[in-house]
Amino acid sequence: SAPLHEAVKQLSWLLGTWESETAKGFFPTIKPFEYKETLEFTHVGQPLLNFSFSSFTPDNVPKHRDSGFLRVNIGTNHVAFVSAQNVGIVEIEEGDVNGTELQLESNGILHSSFASLPHTTKIARAFKLIDESTLEQTVSMATTTTPELKPHLSVRYKKV
Ligand code: HEM
């Protein structure tokens, strides 16, 4: 397999397959819920990581899916999270990796004409490595009916 590109060494802590230990969802307008998620980060030697998120209900019914690329602006710690979601959304988030923390904010979200309402207007996401086999992700969002960023997801993963 190809060696890890120099530009993504700063993201190597994300590589591998992660399974949720706890995954919780909330938002002011919905009932809090629990779910399961598998998250994969891989590479083929390019200055980017490939990712895919697959979420499921607690009894394994497939739900939200999300896949794309985490691209590095070579020579910097600035990254772009380029993602397509099965709910009919594509989005780009950007932010900086600092040590084993990555903070991202959307700079564009596009919905298909028949994506369900409300539409998402902003996404803020953070990844943080807790120890070498434990990763956390939090996702906040704003929508057309909830205009301030509010927490939607909080996940703690174990490396498998
Ligand atoms: C509800 C967006 C990820 C499960 C919602 C709503 C939006 C949304 C806009 C409607 C909120 C409202 O009615 O005010 C997103 C975005 C995500 C994401 C942008 C990723 C960046 C997930 C994931 C799950 C999930 C990973 C895991 C199963 C739910 C559930 C609801 C919901 C259960 C409430 C029931 C429903 O409307 O289906 N989400 N979501 N979401 N989301 Fe997410």
Side-chain angles (χ1 to χ4, degrees), residues 29-30 33 35 55 64 85 118 120 123 125 141 143 152-153:
T29 51
I30 67 177
F33 61 95
Y35 65 105
S55 66
H64 200 273
Q85 302 187 12
T120 304
I123 301 172
R125 197 185 294 259
M141 67 181 178
T143 70
H152 185 37
L153 309 170

Side-chain angles (χ1 to χ4, degrees), residues 20-84:
S20 61
E21 186 176 60
T22 58
K24 295 182 179 165
F26 17 70
F27 204 60
T29 51
I30 67 177
K31 237 177 65 192
F33 61 95
E34 297 197 8
Y35 65 105
K36 298 205 275 198
E37 190 170 71
T38 302
L39 168 57
E40 234 179 34
F41 282 101
T42 61
H43 78 96
V44 292
Q46 296 176 316
L48 55 89
L49 301 183
N50 312 311
F51 64 76
S52 78
F53 297 74
S54 309
S55 66
F56 304 87
T57 63
D59 51 353
N60 297 319
V61 177
K63 296 293 282 183
H64 200 273
R65 300 172 75 89
D66 205 333
S67 67
F69 309 96
L70 188 56
R71 293 172 52 81
V72 176
N73 186 0
I74 293 175
T76 75
N77 66 338
H78 196 67
V79 304
F81 180 99
V82 179
S83 175

